[in-house]
Amino acid sequence: WSFGSWKLEPRDMNDISISSNVGEQVFEGTSLYPIPSNGWVRYELPVAGLEYSLSDLSGRLLDSGSLDLSGMLDLSRYMDGAYVLQLTDGNRVRSERVVIAR
């Protein structure tokens, strides 16, 4: 069997949607700054009650917890470098790259 002569194409633009992450809608409006950071990361969240986990680039878990209403996350105890900050609402996960540079 060969499917070389078959093509699947959209009928019109209404058939096309582009999404990079399942949790995009839940985390729309999330922002982390400044990147690079001096060790303190400020965040703005569209919803309350998100959990976070911080990992190095090898995947080793360094820290985890709940994001509170302060809007600040203290990462000053970690060395300069790149990290992955994962946010979750229990069902969906969003990953953000965080760079610490002093």
Side-chain angles (χ1 to χ4, degrees):
W1 292 86
S2 173
F3 294 99
S5 61
W6 293 89
K7 278 187 172 178
L8 181 61
E9 294 182 356
R11 295 173 293 193
D12 58 36
M13 289 302 291
N14 294 325
D15 286 347
I16 299 172
S17 68
I18 299 172
S19 178
S20 62
N21 188 333
V22 173
E24 238 174 47
Q25 289 75 28
V26 170
F27 296 108
E28 188 174 318
T30 301
S31 61
L32 299 171
Y33 55 90
I35 304 295
S37 165
N38 64 359
W40 285 91
V41 175
R42 183 156 183 77
Y43 56 84
E44 294 177 8
L45 305 172
V47 295
L50 294 182
E51 301 288 319
Y52 77 91
S53 62
L54 181 72
S55 303
D56 62 16
L57 294 182
S58 68
R60 182 178 49 155
L61 181 65
L62 302 173
D63 195 9
S64 64
S66 298
L67 294 176
D68 60 23
L69 297 177
S70 73
M72 297 291 286
L73 185 59
D74 181 9
L75 304 178
S76 61
R77 64 184 171 272
Y78 300 106
M79 296 176 51
D80 289 6
Y83 299 89
V84 177
L85 183 68
Q86 286 191 327
L87 307 175
T88 182
D89 66 351
N91 296 317
R92 290 167 278 256
V93 176
R94 177 174 177 161
S95 297
E96 295 284 343
R97 184 172 175 250
V98 175
V99 176
I100 299 174
R102 293 180 190 91

